[in-house]
Amino acid sequence: MSSPLTAGFCELVFNSADAPENVTPTLQVLSVKKINAPGASGQDRYRLILSDGKHFIQAMIATQLNGMVESKEIDKNVLIKLTGYVTNAVQGRKLVIILQLETVPWNGDKIGNPTNIEQQQQQGNQSSTSAAPQQAVPKQEVGGFQARQQSTAGRGGARAGAGAGGRGKAEVGPLYPIEGLSPYQNKWTIKARVTQKSDIKHYSNQRGEGKLFSVTFMDETGEIRATGFNEAVDNFYNLLEEGKVFFVSRARINIAKKQFSNVNNEYEIMFENQTEIEPCDDDTVPQVKYSFKGIDQLGETQKDELCDVIGVVREVGELGSVTSKATNKPFAKRDIQLVDSSGHSVRLTLWGKQAETFSADDQPVIAFKGVKVGDFGGRSLSMFSSATMSVNPDIPEAHQLRGWFDAEGRNTQFQQYTNSMNNASGAGGAGAGGVKPSELKTIGEAKDEGLGMSEKTDYFTTSATIAFVKQETFSYPACANPEGCNKKVVDDGTGWMCEKCDRKWDAPIHRYILSMNVMDHTGSFWITAFNEQAEQIMDVSANELMRLKDEGSDINSYFQKATGKTLAFQMMAKQDSFNDQPRVRYQCRKVNAPDYVSASAHLIALINSMNV
DNA sequence: CCCCCCCC
């Protein structure tokens, strides 16, 4: 009977010093296990036991294939064909790292009676497993990955894989995927694109003075941060250009200090004196991938979150300087205003050299990766040192924005993020300790927890029904300045005077201050909604409603229509005093259609917490 | 071996 499995594969991996080149074995999964060491980004890692029918061997699966495990495509007794993999020697044990695979149709039966290749090897070949395996050059063989790399290398094939013996210099090991790198290997080469390069940073501490820089490398399997100190700065800083592809070898792999970077890898590279870096003109290495958030969506992100944003630079601020409170050091700073086709704008701050050298005054499209969301002025963005920006990138989103801006965006009024009362942008700073804007609270909870009773402002969302809308005072006469002033104006008999704009208008524009009583099953409270939110609730502008009222129409029906609406109110609770008595002012910052799914989840959690 | 990511 012929087995569909690649007999002898385990032995080949274990015994051969030569890479099993162009071997794409078919193996059977004996078990799948989640291991207790999630990846840098918190992703799960899965270990497989793979059988060739005679022996079995341990394997790890690259995180980008996790979905196949979670969907049970990869499961016990499934046959898989490894089309991309590397092997590692880790503390004398062999491990296959699977980078690419295909499943092979099979009836689900277990094939043969495989035994552990490790035990067999330990009995039969002591020397290869016990004698200081890390000091000895670990056996590293690269399977399908290398074959695939070479076949797609094009001109970059100048640097062939291990089999071709390097680049006329010392042997530097086989071409490795970034995902396959680990501290247990010292003989590897990666072919990767620099997606980010830092400035040169100088430091001085107890150990002395020094300088350093870091880059992020990316290939089709992942990304890794690399750092170089002192001499390495001199050797490599100018060579490594953002966006270009390089071969890197003979560097150290350390455990990543993950708290200092958002690069998704458990390890990082340290450039050393013997490190070799060579440019490569292979353009098949992937480019940076973005996951853009619309500028209007920033209200949904948490403060300090990193995100990707693309926008048109509508305004470039002056170069300024600020002194850090923490270090007393001055930093160059420049604010730019970004807009996108959502009609929203946001401020983004550049720091240091980037602030100094920024010179795009032609309203370019810029794609930002990994910028930090701040809550100043509602929402703001800040360039992080690991953030990157790409001016007029050749990606569809950029072309789209360019077309939109040139056709209409140029003349659009943009909705800004602000902390002011009239902003419809949701969020706003849930300051340290403050309730997050997205956090659901019943009215009872908001009161019981004393939201808005302390110094800080609290933000929460409540799903509630409008019980009553005050009709007597629903609006105020506001400055008619089309630039958007919104200040209250007074009629002095000759016109409506705005003190802020120092202008007089024939007629004001009425804006809402809508006072409403809303309730849920736990209670009710009075809330105030300003113009934008109130318009959404009333389905008519305050100005129009005032006109109807002035001409003697019955406007009661509008208020009746609003009454009974159930909405998700994004609320701000702030301490206030009234007749010297402290009280809480509840202001509605945004209204949405009720989100029944999260509201139900919240109620279920409440019920469960009742512990009955 | 750095690791600060700032200010209004």
Side-chain angles (χ1 to χ4, degrees):
Chain A
M1 182 190 97
S2 82
S3 162
L5 302 181
T6 307
F9 177 73
C10 294
E11 273 178 298
L12 182 62
V13 165
F14 247 81
N15 294 335
S16 85
D18 303 319
E21 267 185 62
N22 299 322
V23 177
T24 54
T26 298
L27 303 166
Q28 183 165 41
V29 177
L30 296 187
S31 77
V32 181
K33 194 179 174 189
K34 192 195 279 195
I35 61 169
N36 282 331
S41 64
Q43 296 169 87
D44 293 322
R45 298 297 309 249
Y46 293 99
R47 192 185 64 188
L48 309 184
I49 306 288
L50 298 179
S51 159
D52 64 7
K54 190 177 170 199
H55 296 111
F56 60 79
I57 190 167
Q58 300 224 31
M60 294 288 298
I61 190 157
T63 50
Q64 72 262 25
L65 299 172
N66 279 3
M68 295 182 80
V69 174
E70 283 144 13
S71 69
K72 300 276 185 197
E73 257 182 286
I74 298 172
D75 205 354
K76 191 175 173 175
N77 288 349
V78 165
L79 298 199
I80 58 177
K81 181 177 174 182
L82 307 190
T83 52
Y85 62 98
V86 298
T87 66
N88 283 348
V90 180
Q91 294 170 351
R93 306 177 71 183
K94 277 280 187 162
L95 187 66
V96 177
I97 297 171
I98 304 166
L99 302 159
Q100 275 201 336
L101 61 80
E102 295 161 12
T103 55
V104 177
W106 180 240
N107 63 19
D109 292 344
K110 185 179 172 184
I111 300 169
N113 239 327
T115 58
N116 191 343
I117 183 81
E118 283 178 23
Q119 281 158 17
Q120 162 132 354
Q121 294 300 310
Q122 274 156 18
Q123 285 155 11
N125 185 2
Q126 280 295 344
S127 62
S128 74
T129 54
S130 57
Q134 266 137 286
Q135 267 59 51
V137 175
K139 291 191 178 72
Q140 295 154 357
E141 297 87 36
V142 178
F145 178 78
Q146 184 184 338
R148 186 159 42 82
Q149 286 284 302
Q150 285 170 3
S151 69
T152 57
R155 292 157 296 156
R159 161 71 178 102
R167 291 165 269 166
K169 296 181 187 171
E171 171 60 59
V172 290
L175 205 51
Y176 249 72
I178 286 174
E179 172 84 29
L181 294 177
S182 83
Y184 307 110
Q185 293 139 217
N186 55 15
K187 212 177 152 198
W188 49 263
T189 299
I190 56 167
K191 180 167 75 177
R193 190 182 298 276
V194 174
T195 57
Q196 189 268 147
K197 182 170 88 164
S198 75
D199 290 338
I200 296 171
K201 291 172 236 181
H202 295 264
Y203 65 90
S204 75
N205 57 24
Q206 301 93 314
R207 297 158 186 259
E209 298 200 347
K211 59 184 175 181
L212 72 136
F213 79 110
S214 65
V215 293
T216 305
F217 287 112
M218 187 180 76
D219 72 7
E220 62 202 85
T221 69
E223 54 179 355
I224 192 165
R225 187 173 188 239
T227 305
F229 284 87
N230 304 318
E231 266 181 71
V233 177
D234 303 331
N235 291 338
F236 303 127
Y237 186 78
N238 290 123
L239 174 65
L240 288 168
E241 275 182 68
E242 223 169 79
K244 298 208 168 162
V245 178
F246 297 87
F247 291 113
V248 181
S249 57
R250 293 178 170 249
R252 201 164 74 217
I253 310 271
N254 289 334
I255 305 287
K257 290 171 190 157
K258 210 207 118 199
Q259 66 269 35
F260 302 123
S261 117
N262 60 328
V263 172
N264 179 16
N265 201 310
E266 288 165 72
Y267 306 118
E268 62 187 24
I269 292 173
M270 187 72 75
F271 297 139
E272 297 180 301
N273 284 336
Q274 73 271 25
T275 294
E276 292 176 18
I277 302 179
E278 259 185 38
C280 165
D281 60 1
D282 181 356
D283 216 40
T284 63
V285 177
Q287 304 272 356
V288 182
K289 288 181 204 73
Y290 294 97
S291 174
F292 292 120
K293 267 228 151 74
I295 292 174
D296 60 324
Q297 295 173 316
L298 294 174
E300 296 154 22
T301 61
Q302 298 294 327
K303 176 173 149 58
D304 295 335
E305 204 172 288
L306 299 183
C307 67
D308 302 347
V309 171
I310 187 166
V312 178
V313 179
R314 190 155 166 272
E315 276 173 36
V316 179
E318 297 288 304
L319 181 64
S321 172
V322 297
T323 306
S324 162
K325 277 178 184 166
T327 63
N328 263 333
K329 278 190 201 163
F331 285 90
K333 168 204 142 135
R334 189 194 297 272
D335 289 336
I336 61 174
Q337 190 197 37
L338 282 185
V339 297
D340 71 12
S341 52
S342 71
H344 284 246
S345 68
V346 70
R347 194 188 77 176
L348 184 145
T349 305
L350 305 167
W351 300 98
K353 210 181 214 168
Q354 262 168 338
E356 286 165 12
T357 56
F358 189 89
S359 61
D361 51 2
D362 51 349
Q363 302 191 310
V365 172
I366 302 188
F368 293 88
K369 181 152 197 68
V371 287
K372 198 173 80 167
V373 177
D375 61 359
F376 184 76
R379 275 292 177 272
S380 59
L381 296 171
S382 179
M383 219 40 198
F384 204 66
S385 82
S386 61
T388 62
M389 58 184 223
S390 175
V391 180
N392 293 322
D394 187 13
I395 54 177
E397 292 93 337
H399 299 304
Q400 224 169 348
L401 272 177
R402 179 84 269 151
W404 158 80
F405 189 78
D406 292 343
E408 50 173 311
R410 197 177 288 285
N411 305 312
T412 303
Q413 279 250 10
F414 289 91
Q415 170 92 51
Q416 287 180 22
Y417 282 95
T418 71
N419 280 328
S420 79
M421 63 180 191
N422 293 316
N423 195 274
S425 65
V435 173
K436 308 284 192 302
S438 55
E439 198 165 320
L440 280 174
K441 294 283 173 193
T442 65
I443 292 169
E445 283 175 314
K447 288 181 178 175
D448 291 346
E449 294 172 22
L451 299 184
M453 307 256 273
S454 61
E455 293 297 305
K456 62 180 167 39
T457 307
D458 285 308
Y459 299 86
F460 61 98
T461 298
T462 199
S463 241
T465 303
I466 298 171
F468 182 77
V469 185
K470 221 176 190 168
Q471 290 199 29
E472 296 78 51
T473 54
F474 62 82
S475 70
Y476 71 97
C479 175
N481 193 334
E483 307 278 325
C485 159
N486 303 342
K487 280 273 174 275
K488 184 174 177 177
V489 290
V490 287
D491 185 6
D492 65 1
T494 66
W496 296 82
M497 180 67 193
C498 176
E499 289 189 357
K500 189 185 170 207
C501 299
D502 198 23
R503 285 181 70 172
K504 200 167 265 189
W505 310 93
D506 291 340
I509 292 178
H510 292 274
R511 293 175 67 85
Y512 279 111
I513 309 186
L514 202 62
S515 193
M516 295 175 289
N517 190 266
V518 303
M519 54 174 59
D520 65 10
H521 63 290
T522 63
S524 70
F525 56 8
W526 285 89
I527 71 171
T528 305
F530 290 95
N531 206 46
E532 279 76 10
Q533 297 71 246
E535 260 182 29
Q536 279 179 265
I537 291 164
M538 297 292 290
D539 286 328
V540 61
S541 71
N543 213 42
E544 173 65 5
L545 199 60
M546 191 52 100
R547 194 188 62 78
L548 291 167
K549 186 184 177 185
D550 285 347
E551 70 176 30
S553 300
D554 179 14
I555 57 169
N556 184 45
S557 61
Y558 285 94
F559 291 88
Q560 290 313 315
K561 237 171 68 187
T563 308
K565 279 188 182 178
T566 298
L567 295 161
F569 296 89
Q570 274 191 27
M571 299 300 303
M572 178 168 96
K574 212 173 187 165
Q575 200 178 41
D576 192 15
S577 67
F578 184 70
N579 292 339
D580 285 338
Q581 290 292 324
R583 65 164 188 182
V584 180
R585 226 159 39 85
Y586 296 100
Q587 188 188 116
C588 168
R589 299 172 52 79
K590 194 173 179 178
V591 284
N592 291 104
D595 177 355
Y596 291 112
V597 173
S598 43
S600 306
H602 180 61
L603 290 178
I604 289 165
L606 265 182
I607 291 166
N608 288 339
S609 72
M610 286 171 185
N611 212 7
V612 281

